[in-house]
Amino acid sequence: MGDRPVPTRAVPEVVARVGIDLDPVDVTDADDARWLRACVRVPEGALPVVTTTWALSPFPLEDRLRFLHRLREAAAGRAVAWVSVEGVGVAPTIPTLGDRRASGHSIIGLAVFDRSAPRAQAIGRCWSRGRLLAWLVDSWSEQRS
């Protein structure tokens, strides 16, 4: 969709996959730190990536902000990335690009936490649970420069 090609930057090698379990994890529950422990199990030198896909919308804003706080905690000793695909305005810190809530699409976001304020950006839009994608940039490296 649109006139931008799929980003051409090489996909990094996956050095480990750390599963939590089949039960949903309440990322806002301070007593349920399974996903934080999973980040710690990622080998040194590798970037832990937390992914949410349409998982945050049932939570009120306060709990979604608590989720961000937990990501910052996980990044206390190393960088942690968060890739999100959530409805417009659902993922805190991910820009909405002026899009309205309930607009029929979701924002694909990327945030990196590394002992400072998160660097967050919208990198695409998707419709029909990912059946249709529109990339907003040609590559991640172009936005970082």
Side-chain angles (χ1 to χ4, degrees):
M1 178 172 195
D3 59 353
R4 295 206 183 260
V6 172
T8 58
R9 185 170 179 179
V11 175
E13 177 186 357
V14 174
V15 297
R17 286 187 175 88
V18 179
I20 296 173
D21 59 32
L22 296 178
D23 294 327
V25 175
D26 183 350
V27 296
T28 66
D29 183 350
D31 294 329
D32 189 354
R34 289 177 286 172
W35 70 282
L36 287 173
R37 288 191 302 270
C39 285
V40 171
R41 292 185 4 223
V42 173
E44 284 297 320
L47 176 68
V49 178
V50 175
T51 305
T52 62
T53 53
W54 303 287
L56 299 180
S57 60
F59 297 105
L61 178 59
E62 177 182 309
D63 287 345
R64 289 182 271 142
L65 293 172
R66 190 173 301 120
F67 167 71
L68 285 184
H69 178 71
R70 310 272 294 159
L71 282 172
R72 284 189 192 101
E73 287 176 355
R78 70 194 293 182
V80 174
W82 171 37
V83 176
S84 66
V85 183
E86 303 285 349
V88 176
V90 171
T93 76
I94 302 298
T96 61
L97 309 169
D99 298 352
R100 294 179 292 115
R101 287 181 177 268
S103 59
H105 68 277
S106 297
I107 302 285
I108 303 167
L110 173 62
V112 177
F113 299 80
D114 62 354
R115 297 185 204 112
S116 62
R119 295 183 317 269
Q121 56 196 240
I123 59 174
R125 291 182 177 102
C126 75
W127 293 260
S128 300
R129 297 268 180 180
R131 287 187 186 94
L132 192 59
L133 300 172
W135 298 109
L136 300 174
V137 295
D138 291 328
S139 74
W140 165 247
S141 61
E142 284 181 15
Q143 278 199 345
R144 288 184 12 197
S145 54

